[in-house]
Amino acid sequence: MSDTPFGFGLPPEEPDDGDEGKKKDQQSGGGQGPANPFGFGGLPGAGGFGGPGADNPFAAMFGSLNPSDLGAAFQQLGQMLSYEGGPVNWDMAKQIARQTVSQGAADGTKDASVGPAERNAVQEAVRLADLWLDDATSLPSGAGTAVAWSRAEWVEATLPAWQELVDPVAERVGTAMGDVLPEEMQAMAGPLIGMMRSMGGAMFGTQIGQAVGVLAGEVVGSSDIGLPLGPAGKAALLPANIESFGKDLSVPQEEVRLYLALREAAHQRLFAHVPWLRSHLFGAVDGYARGIKVDTAKLEDVVGQFDPQNPEQLQDALQQGMFQPEDTPEQKAALARLETALALVEGWVDAVVHAAAKPRLSSADALRETLRRRRASGGPAEQTFATLIGLELRPRRLRDASRLWASLTDARGVDGRDALWHHPDMLPTASDLDDPDGFVHREQIDFSELDKMLGEAAGGSAGKPDLKKDEGPEGGTSGDTKGDDTE
């Protein structure tokens, strides 16, 4: 787990090239590199809350203010302080994400509308990928449509999922801001608390918008971090980012696109046909967020010394390690559940895609290893997720999970392997990833039989007319009908 969950806790480091690096950072808008997509100050090379540029709304307004800009600056500040929505100002997040996208990605490429030829290429790649996956998994296609997105379209489509992930964390901050004062003083300090909540929502909105905008310049689809960020049933690829991803790989662009389409289509199958999986993952994120505690003593000092004429003071305080996870059994269990579930999702996709691509693509091994190295080196998706919830999806777990799924395929076949997704209690645990052979050859509980018995007990005699109507055996318990029920 990251030592600085949510990116809070470490001051911003000096650029390697000194003053010249500072100038470059100011010119580029500050903190836009993928090493710290959220800009909270916890990763090298980032501006953090106190840094200049677009990831610091107050520095952007007051840093190099001309007299003629004074009215516009105070208007923007007024909009921040008048915000009365949830814990995150998502309108601001969306605006800043779009602005970040319009500035171009880290590699210098600009966003552009997707043309008909690129859309057709993506649709054809997803269609072919789904055909290949039919041989590698028993889960049917989960992509009702295939779309090619620009970076701006990716921002628009994924913000609802980011909201679901981030709001529990931001809610903790807002609640803490209102609870640091004694109860008898809270009524008197109401306007101050309201202003701090509004500023907190603005700061979260700014940082998240900056992060999502940076990530939009790097992701190749809607499922890069192992979570379903896009709309259900919609396989999405970003042609501009796919081109950037494959330009130095010495692999034909068509093969790169097809391999990434296989990964996207595999994710879609899993989340479409394992109905409990999405809520399981997002619930684990929420459970982990509830275990984040706030250093109330430090926050009390901030409130007591808060100067409305120095709004950056609150940002500086948030940078200094105010948030940390509770070291409780519940928090550890939530983290382990989330980390293991993500590893199992990504490991299954890795194993299934490799089985589908290996016989058909000469570059399958190279592309697989490239994506694994991208994870191991802390690619943008992993960095964003680690900054968001303090979790790093360790490559060792991903590789272990992929090996376990491959071993299950050899031992039980495709159907036996995929049947484990029928119930969360059937899935491997973190300890099973340490001993994959033991899990593969262990006798598994047949939850489908248990569900059937419970259903029959609940239905009682109500089910008998249906059995007769279907002309099944009178008892409904013969081997001929058992297979149909468990299907």
Side-chain angles (χ1 to χ4, degrees):
M1 190 182 84
S2 168
D3 293 332
T4 58
F6 301 93
F8 297 111
L10 295 179
E13 298 184 10
E14 293 291 336
D16 292 336
D17 47 356
D19 292 337
E20 194 64 27
K22 294 180 183 178
K23 294 177 183 178
K24 292 179 181 178
D25 187 59
Q26 291 172 355
Q27 293 170 357
S28 64
Q32 294 187 25
N36 186 2
F38 273 85
F40 283 148
L43 297 170
F49 270 128
D55 60 341
N56 185 339
F58 303 104
M61 283 192 297
F62 301 110
S64 301
L65 194 63
N66 296 321
S68 60
D69 297 329
L70 190 60
F74 277 106
Q75 182 180 8
Q76 187 175 357
L77 179 59
Q79 292 174 351
M80 286 183 181
L81 299 183
S82 63
Y83 173 70
E84 297 180 352
V88 177
N89 189 331
W90 286 101
D91 290 337
M92 179 174 289
K94 178 178 177 180
Q95 177 184 357
I96 290 176
R98 295 293 297 263
Q99 291 174 352
T100 303
V101 165
S102 68
Q103 294 170 5
D107 61 3
T109 59
K110 297 291 185 180
D111 192 26
S113 299
V114 179
E118 291 172 315
R119 294 187 188 279
N120 290 337
V122 166
Q123 291 171 357
E124 180 63 23
V126 173
R127 185 193 66 79
L128 184 56
D130 255 338
L131 288 176
W132 290 3
L133 287 172
D134 286 340
D135 296 332
T137 174
S138 62
L139 299 180
S141 174
T145 57
V147 295
W149 282 341
S150 66
R151 294 163 183 167
E153 289 173 321
W154 182 89
V155 168
E156 295 276 355
T158 61
L159 272 180
W162 289 115
Q163 183 172 354
E164 190 172 350
L165 286 167
V166 174
D167 271 351
V169 183
E171 186 65 41
R172 295 282 296 172
V173 181
T175 301
M177 284 182 173
D179 293 344
V180 293
L181 293 178
E183 185 174 350
E184 62 273 13
M185 294 181 60
Q186 289 188 16
M188 298 175 57
L192 174 61
I193 294 174
M195 182 173 65
M196 292 181 65
R197 287 178 181 265
S198 297
M199 290 174 60
M203 286 185 292
F204 265 106
T206 300
Q207 302 297 331
I208 293 164
Q210 175 75 4
V212 172
V214 171
L215 189 57
E218 302 285 349
V219 294
V220 295
S222 70
S223 54
D224 280 32
I225 65 172
L227 290 172
L229 295 179
K234 186 172 289 188
L237 295 176
L238 282 71
N241 293 353
I242 291 175
E243 182 177 356
S244 298
F245 173 81
K247 66 181 180 181
D248 296 326
L249 297 181
S250 301
V251 175
Q253 189 72 15
E254 293 76 11
E255 291 196 18
V256 174
R257 184 192 303 113
L258 185 51
Y259 192 87
L260 297 176
L262 281 166
R263 290 183 55 82
E264 178 72 11
H267 277 103
Q268 292 294 330
R269 289 185 180 224
L270 190 59
F271 284 106
H273 299 290
V274 184
W276 54 265
L277 183 56
R278 187 185 191 280
S279 60
H280 179 74
L281 289 169
F282 279 71
V285 173
D286 182 70
Y288 183 77
R290 286 197 301 270
I292 294 295
K293 64 181 180 180
V294 179
D295 187 343
T296 54
K298 184 172 293 185
L299 191 54
E300 287 174 1
D301 291 340
V302 174
V303 174
Q305 302 173 17
F306 180 70
D307 180 4
Q309 296 182 359
N310 183 18
E312 288 188 32
Q313 182 185 56
L314 188 56
Q315 287 191 338
D316 294 338
L318 292 175
Q319 181 183 332
Q320 300 302 319
M322 192 175 293
F323 304 92
Q324 53 185 304
E326 291 273 12
D327 189 20
T328 62
E330 294 80 10
Q331 180 73 343
K332 292 178 180 178
L335 180 62
R337 183 168 65 252
L338 177 59
E339 184 179 44
T340 302
L342 284 171
L344 291 173
V345 168
E346 289 297 279
W348 183 87
V349 169
D350 180 78
V352 167
V353 168
H354 185 69
K358 176 69 172 175
R360 300 175 173 95
L361 293 179
S362 59
S363 58
D365 289 332
L367 288 170
R368 184 190 202 188
E369 192 58 34
T370 297
L371 286 165
R372 283 181 165 185
R373 286 201 306 269
R374 195 184 191 210
R375 291 256 186 202
S377 62
E382 287 74 22
Q383 289 289 0
T384 298
F385 202 51
T387 306
L388 177 64
I389 63 166
L391 169 74
E392 293 179 358
L393 182 60
R394 293 174 292 170
R396 181 180 67 84
R397 297 284 82 182
L398 171 60
R399 291 177 183 267
D400 288 348
S402 181
R403 283 195 293 268
L404 186 147
W405 288 118
S407 297
L408 282 168
T409 307
D410 294 339
R412 304 184 186 182
V414 168
D415 290 346
R417 177 201 66 199
D418 293 345
L420 294 179
W421 291 107
H422 287 170
H423 196 285
D425 290 342
M426 296 177 69
L427 287 178
T429 64
S431 60
D432 292 326
L433 296 181
D434 295 326
D435 181 23
D437 290 337
F439 178 83
V440 168
H441 300 292
R442 186 186 311 155
E443 188 68 26
Q444 297 292 306
I445 300 174
D446 189 350
F447 281 90
S448 63
E449 286 297 313
L450 177 61
D451 290 341
K452 178 185 175 184
M453 288 187 291
L454 291 175
E456 290 175 346
S461 60
K464 292 181 179 179
D466 292 335
L467 289 174
K468 293 178 180 179
K469 187 185 303 181
D470 292 338
E471 299 181 355
E474 188 168 332
T477 58
S478 73
D480 292 335
T481 59
K482 177 181 177 181
D484 294 338
D485 290 341
T486 55
E487 287 295 321

